[in-house]
Amino acid sequence: MKREADEDMKSRVWGIIDGCRDCVFITLLQDGRCRARTMNKIQDMNRSGGIMWFATDSKSRKISEIAANPRVTLFFAHPETFDHACISGKAQVVRDAENRLRFWNDDWYRYWKAGPKSEEYVLIKVVPEKGEYFLNEEVMSGEISFDIKSL
């Protein structure tokens, strides 16, 4: 029964995440401060086993921040329900051609003129580990764990 309830809550948290185009992507700096920025998540309908993806420029600050500390936090706030989910996990910068082509969006030509072959276009792969949620209508909060083992 508890496992079913956990899976139902995990499904509801994914509903919050899927209902958001953007999230706040937070990295941890070496001096202990956090750096937050809004990022579009890539909508991976296959969900890649729960892994979340983001596109960014190879020269952005977050690339060096992830190299120094791969722990990140993602904050999703649903714009209509005001439900929110805060996910912590590990990030990895991905440069392989297959994934860059798989997730390419033609709207990004404005950032990377060479398209998916641009050296500056990279992906960030986030494997979630733990999460917190707040369901506004039910005034309910809690924590969930993700059992994704690999980067």
Side-chain angles (χ1 to χ4, degrees):
M1 186 73 171
K2 179 171 174 14
R3 181 159 170 77
E4 284 180 25
D6 289 347
E7 289 304 312
D8 179 57
M9 194 50 63
K10 202 176 291 185
S11 176
R12 291 186 70 186
V13 168
W14 281 118
I16 295 168
I17 293 167
D18 290 343
C20 298
R21 187 190 77 158
D22 303 319
C23 75
V24 178
F25 190 105
I26 305 164
T27 52
L28 197 60
L29 305 180
Q30 290 185 326
D31 65 4
R33 292 179 301 126
C34 296
R35 180 167 286 141
R37 76 280 281 155
T38 303
M39 289 189 73
N40 296 131
K41 69 176 173 45
I42 296 171
Q43 190 68 30
D44 180 9
M45 297 316 284
N46 297 329
R47 190 161 342 283
S48 301
I51 295 166
M52 288 178 259
W53 295 87
F54 301 86
T56 194
D57 197 282
S58 63
K59 294 180 264 167
S60 70
R61 291 182 299 192
K62 69 186 92 44
I63 298 302
S64 60
E65 293 163 6
I66 289 168
N69 184 345
R71 298 232 168 258
V72 298
T73 300
L74 308 175
F75 181 78
F76 298 88
H78 195 283
E80 295 168 11
T81 66
F82 303 109
D83 294 345
H84 62 260
C86 187
I87 308 297
S88 60
K90 281 184 153 178
Q92 177 185 26
V93 177
V94 175
R95 291 177 162 83
D96 72 88
E98 180 181 340
N99 278 308
R100 291 179 342 147
L101 187 57
R102 173 181 171 212
F103 290 118
W104 178 256
N105 180 327
D106 284 344
D107 291 341
W108 298 340
Y109 276 110
R110 64 188 272 202
Y111 305 113
W112 301 292
K113 303 293 184 223
K117 294 181 180 180
S118 172
E119 290 296 316
E120 289 80 32
Y121 162 57
V122 297
L123 298 167
I124 299 173
K125 176 181 179 179
V126 177
V127 178
E129 295 173 339
K130 299 231 179 247
E132 298 179 18
Y133 60 87
F134 177 75
L135 304 175
N136 187 50
E137 184 77 19
E138 296 149 273
V139 191
M140 181 170 67
S141 62
E143 297 181 358
I144 60 170
S145 292
F146 297 88
D147 52 3
I148 301 165
K149 302 293 183 213
S150 65
L151 251 175

